[in-house]
Every structure is written in C-alpha cells, then in structure tokens.
Amino acid sequence: MPNTYQIGRLGRLYVALEPSAYGTAAVLAATDAVRHLNLKLDQNPRNRVNSPERHAHPSQLYRFTRRKTAEWMVSGIFYPSGTLNTLPDHDPILQTVFGARTNVTLSTTVSAAPAPTTTVFTVASAAGLAVGDAVLVNATSGGRQVRFITAIAGAALTVDPALSAAPASGDSVKGCITYKLATALLANGSLNLAHYLTSMSWEIKGGAPESFKITFESNDEIMWEASGPAKNRVRPAQTDPTTFTTVGTTPPSGLTGYLRIGAAAEEFLKASFELKNGIELDNIAFGTADSQAMYRAKKREVECEFDTMVSDDITILDLAENTTDTVGLVQCGLTEGSIVAAYSPKIELETPDDPNDDETMQHSYKGICKGTTGNDEFYLAVA
C-alpha cells in the first residue's frame, strides 16, 4: 500500500500546564486546543559526539551519547475570546511566560464626585481590583480604552497612561484579564504540548516558558510567538483528545487601535514587545540523562520596537535623543471582549539610524522596558 503522507495544515495543537512535578504530562482535553501558524517540537535524544581517541589511521571508529535536549516554539494569531473575562486559547502559555494572571469580573461606573480627570476617577465599586490590573473604560469622549491601575484609594483609581479625555459620570468601567510579571516562576508552570497529525503525533514535556513576543502591525492581525527549552519529546503523544475546542472568531487587527507615548497618541506602523525570562534547565547532574527542573538563571529582559514614518512629529525622536523615560501603550481593537493591550510604564528608547530612502522614510525605535519597583516593566491585557 502507498504511504500516508502527513498534511501539516491538518495538525492540531494542544497545550496545558503540567499538573505537578516538572515533566509530568497533563491529561489533555479538547479545551486545551490552541490555534497556531507555526510550530516546532524538536528533540535531539542523544546528542552524539565523536570520540577523541587516537588511532594509527584517520578513521572515526566510535561515537558517544550525551544528554538529551529538546525545545519548542509556537506562533499564531492572537484571538481574544470575544467575551470579557473569558480566557484566550493560549492562556496557559501567557500565564506561565508572565508568571501571574488576574481576571477581575467587575462592571461599575464613574462617579460624578470628585470630578473625574484623565488619570484619576472614582468608581461606584472597586471590588477585586489591585494595582497593576487593567480596566476597560468606555468613555463618553474617546470610547473604549484599556488603562492600568497605578494606585487605589478606596474607590478612587489612578490609571496610566492618561485617558484621551476625562470620563463622564456614569461611564462604564469593567475589569478584564491582566497578565503580570512575577519574581518566582509560576508553580507547576512547565508546559505540556502535543501535536497530532493524521497518523503521527509528538508530545513535549517540561516545556520552559523562556520567551514571548507580541507584534502589532497596521494592516495585520496581532501575532504572538513563544518558545523555550524542554525536558524531552515523546512519540507518539498521549491519547488524542480528537475534538478541537477554541474561543473567539474575530481577532482584532491594526485597522482599529492606537499607540500612546506618554500622554500623546502617536501614529505608527508596527510595534512589538519581546520578553525573555532568562530560564535555564537543570540538565547537568551526574546520573541523569535529561533535565530535572527549570529555574531563572539570568535577569529578565523586555525589549520593544516602534516603527514610524519620518515626519514633522518629533515627539518620539526627542524622547530617544534625550534618553527620557516614557510610558508606552498599544491597544488593538475597540470592541469589548476583543481588545488586546500591551503596556510598559517606563521605556528607554534608543536614537534610530537616519534613513536615506528616495521617497517616504521610516524610523525604527528600539527600546528597553524598565521596572519602576520591580516586576512592573510589562503588562498585557485582554479586554
């Protein structure tokens, strides 16, 4: 009989947090399905090396086995669920890459007194909210805007960056999903990923959440990518969940949204934020053949990049040339339940190289997202 060729577009990916010890597989279910564009679940089971022994001839006679290594990478379109407070498909990846997640179900309104401003307003109830949480403000002037809480005094919220205009009494304020950084890695935060083709399957165990990148582009959907080392890959994978259950059908794109640098809205073409956790695997102990745990070995790094047209608006250029720290927020989408926002309260931008094109020109600003008190240099909200 002829071979059954595997068709990549038919592949299904399932991702879950491992339930207990590092490298212990979860029991995957239909609701662990994650849509993807690119996927890599790789392993070198033996890492064979040549023997250094010398012989009277130039032939290589022996090769030896070394420790097993594995790695994973997933990328895809960012699909919010379409419903406020319902987690996106790839929540396990987001949760462990950042280290913490809050999901506040709250629907309240802005109070008339004291008079609201663009950064401080009182709400009827602030139950469940904490500093660092995102809120979705549906302002009479400016529409739906995601902002991040920097202080709470009773029911008075201080948010950053400033709203485009002060909210009016009765404007709605809702809680949403916020991914936050943490000092410790998420407990039981290693990932179990399985890929099922027509008649073949692979499964990664002990996937470490090393890196995450999110990209906003003016004429495209939001793209995300995550990757890291892993304990091992097994074939075949565990029992196929068969059913593929996902949420969300209409991802937001660069056709709706904005960039705020400081208090000003800035025109841009593309923006990205990249998080690197500095994670390494414990794959060195005598008497072991693969990694036994994961740990943070280095400082976390969060970098950003903004591509803009060269124009008479020199706001960002001035910030870069003067090394002035600034707030940055990108919001994509204006429909409740289908909004994604990335935020850094303290960005140091580098001066871009001068372009030399014949016609219109672009600047590419690279930046470092810095903490203010720690674990606060980067947030992601789904609203």
Side-chain angles (χ1 to χ4, degrees):
M1 294 181 64
N3 294 333
T4 300
Y5 297 139
Q6 308 297 293
I7 307 298
R9 62 181 171 79
L10 301 180
R12 290 170 290 109
L13 172 67
Y14 298 83
V15 181
L17 294 172
E18 293 183 326
S20 54
Y22 172 77
T24 302
V27 178
L28 297 172
T31 51
D32 295 321
V34 174
R35 284 167 288 204
H36 69 281
L37 295 178
N38 294 293
L39 174 65
K40 180 173 72 173
L41 306 182
D42 286 348
Q43 175 180 250
N44 190 327
R46 293 179 178 81
N47 282 297
R48 300 279 286 177
V49 297
N50 291 336
S51 168
E53 294 170 283
R54 299 175 180 179
H55 303 281
H57 51 77
S59 298
Q60 184 68 46
L61 300 185
Y62 308 112
R63 284 171 61 78
F64 301 136
T65 296
R66 293 293 181 260
R67 295 179 185 280
K68 180 187 302 181
T69 54
E71 59 182 346
W72 65 278
M73 184 282 295
V74 183
S75 68
I77 298 171
F78 200 122
Y79 275 86
S81 69
T83 302
L84 203 63
N85 300 115
T86 298
L87 302 174
D89 296 339
H90 57 303
D91 170 74
I93 295 175
L94 294 172
Q95 191 178 348
T96 190
V97 163
F98 278 83
R101 181 200 70 208
T102 58
N103 187 5
V104 180
T105 302
L106 174 68
S107 181
T108 187
T109 56
V110 175
S111 301
T117 71
T118 57
T119 57
V120 183
F121 50 87
T122 299
V123 292
S125 171
L129 293 175
V131 170
D133 286 346
V135 289
L136 178 62
V137 182
N138 191 3
T140 299
S141 177
R144 293 184 178 90
Q145 302 173 63
V146 175
R147 293 298 184 264
F148 290 79
I149 299 172
T150 59
I152 300 178
L157 307 180
T158 302
V159 299
D160 191 46
L163 294 163
S164 59
S169 174
D171 284 351
S172 72
V173 177
K174 297 184 179 182
C176 47
I177 302 164
T178 310
Y179 296 95
K180 305 177 180 181
L181 302 174
T183 297
L185 300 180
L186 184 69
N188 302 326
S190 52
L191 291 166
N192 187 196
L193 307 94
H195 186 215
Y196 298 87
L197 296 169
T198 305
S199 54
M200 294 188 68
S201 62
W202 297 266
E203 181 176 357
I204 283 283
K205 298 180 181 179
E210 166 53 21
S211 67
F212 173 76
K213 184 176 183 179
I214 186 167
T215 302
F216 304 84
E217 198 157 356
S218 62
N219 199 34
D220 205 351
E221 283 68 44
I222 307 167
M223 298 294 170
W224 65 273
E225 179 179 317
S227 62
K231 179 180 178 67
N232 58 30
R233 186 192 72 184
V234 297
R235 183 179 58 83
Q238 61 179 275
T239 301
D240 188 344
T242 307
T243 307
F244 196 76
T245 304
T246 58
V247 297
T249 57
T250 309
S253 73
L255 304 184
T256 57
Y258 54 84
L259 164 68
R260 294 194 78 85
I261 295 293
E266 295 292 332
E267 184 180 286
F268 77 108
L269 304 174
K270 183 179 179 179
S272 64
F273 294 83
E274 184 170 10
L275 163 65
K276 296 180 181 178
N277 271 319
I279 293 176
E280 293 186 2
L281 300 185
D282 180 359
N283 197 12
I284 57 176
F286 192 95
T288 61
D290 58 17
S291 60
Q292 305 302 298
M294 63 181 187
Y295 61 99
R296 195 191 305 275
K298 305 172 185 176
K299 284 186 176 180
R300 181 195 300 120
E301 297 178 0
V302 182
E303 299 177 344
C304 60
E305 186 170 352
F306 306 104
D307 293 349
T308 71
M309 298 296 292
V310 178
S311 73
D312 58 353
D313 183 348
I314 57 173
T315 302
I316 303 179
L317 184 60
D318 281 344
L319 292 169
E321 289 182 338
N322 294 317
T323 319
T324 303
D325 291 338
T326 186
V327 173
L329 180 143
V330 179
Q331 177 176 321
C332 186
L334 299 173
T335 302
E336 181 180 306
S338 296
I339 298 172
V340 178
Y343 162 70
S344 176
K346 192 176 181 182
I347 300 174
E348 180 181 314
L349 294 167
E350 297 177 3
T351 304
D353 294 334
D354 285 334
N356 190 32
D357 302 279
D358 283 345
E359 299 178 0
T360 57
M361 298 177 290
Q362 296 180 20
H363 272 148
S364 182
Y365 295 91
K366 300 182 187 300
I368 302 297
C369 301
K370 303 187 295 186
T372 52
T373 59
N375 297 320
D376 56 358
E377 61 263 44
F378 182 41
Y379 297 85
L380 188 70
V382 183

